[in-house]
Amino acid sequence: MAGRKKIFPCGHAGYGKFCHKCKQVEDEKTEKEDWNNLFSSDEVNLRELPNKHLVLKARKIIQSVISGAPYQNFGGKKMNYDRRVISVPINADYRVLFKETEQGLKPFEVLSHEEYNRKKPGASKV
């Protein structure tokens, strides 16, 4: 025997002790706020990356390189125009740039492949 639907203070109707629709919206909002708060602890701005997978991959690469993993393990290379700048691909469309310092490698910029190609001083102008 099913109980009667009740109207919750939010205006939704249901059978439970609380409104599941409002709870889901609240949980999604909290999850999104938590995700956005993680960006404040990043070494470099990753907000421009188009999806969560790329952000997580970039964080993994950055943390590994900062911790001492060779940048070559990730396909990184020193730039010809400045040998202290190292470019590490995140995927085919994005790169993270590191600068060699006395304290080690420090990330300073994440670029799309298009921005990266325009930024290189030694690149040919078409």
Side-chain angles (χ1 to χ4, degrees):
M1 181 163 106
R4 292 180 47 144
K5 274 190 177 182
K6 56 180 151 181
I7 305 296
F8 296 108
C10 61
H12 293 121
Y15 295 105
K17 294 181 181 179
F18 59 91
C19 178
H20 291 278
K21 289 180 183 178
C22 291
K23 173 78 169 120
Q24 182 178 1
V25 168
E26 182 182 318
D27 289 348
E28 288 171 359
K29 182 179 175 186
T30 302
E31 185 178 315
K32 188 172 184 173
E33 286 173 359
D34 291 346
W35 174 252
N36 286 330
N37 289 338
L38 287 175
F39 285 103
S40 64
S41 63
D42 288 331
E43 299 275 337
V44 65
N45 183 11
L46 300 176
R47 291 181 192 273
E48 301 302 317
L49 294 175
N51 61 53
K52 189 174 185 175
H53 171 73
L54 280 179
V55 171
L56 295 175
K57 186 173 180 183
R59 285 181 178 148
K60 180 181 176 191
I61 291 170
I62 290 168
Q63 194 55 44
S64 296
V65 171
I66 288 174
S67 298
Y71 60 84
Q72 296 92 339
N73 291 356
F74 303 99
K77 63 181 183 176
K78 290 187 174 190
M79 303 309 300
N80 289 329
Y81 67 86
D82 185 347
R83 302 303 282 175
R84 294 168 299 169
V85 175
I86 295 158
S87 171
V88 179
I90 299 170
N91 70 357
D93 297 325
Y94 289 91
R95 306 279 185 273
V96 60
L97 299 181
F98 291 86
K99 186 98 167 180
E100 284 184 337
T101 67
E102 292 178 8
Q103 295 80 28
L105 294 175
K106 301 288 180 199
F108 70 92
E109 195 166 17
V110 173
L111 301 169
S112 71
H113 189 67
E114 184 179 321
E115 292 171 320
Y116 168 79
N117 282 338
R118 273 190 264 132
K119 188 172 189 91
K120 292 191 292 188
S124 62
K125 309 269 194 259
V126 177

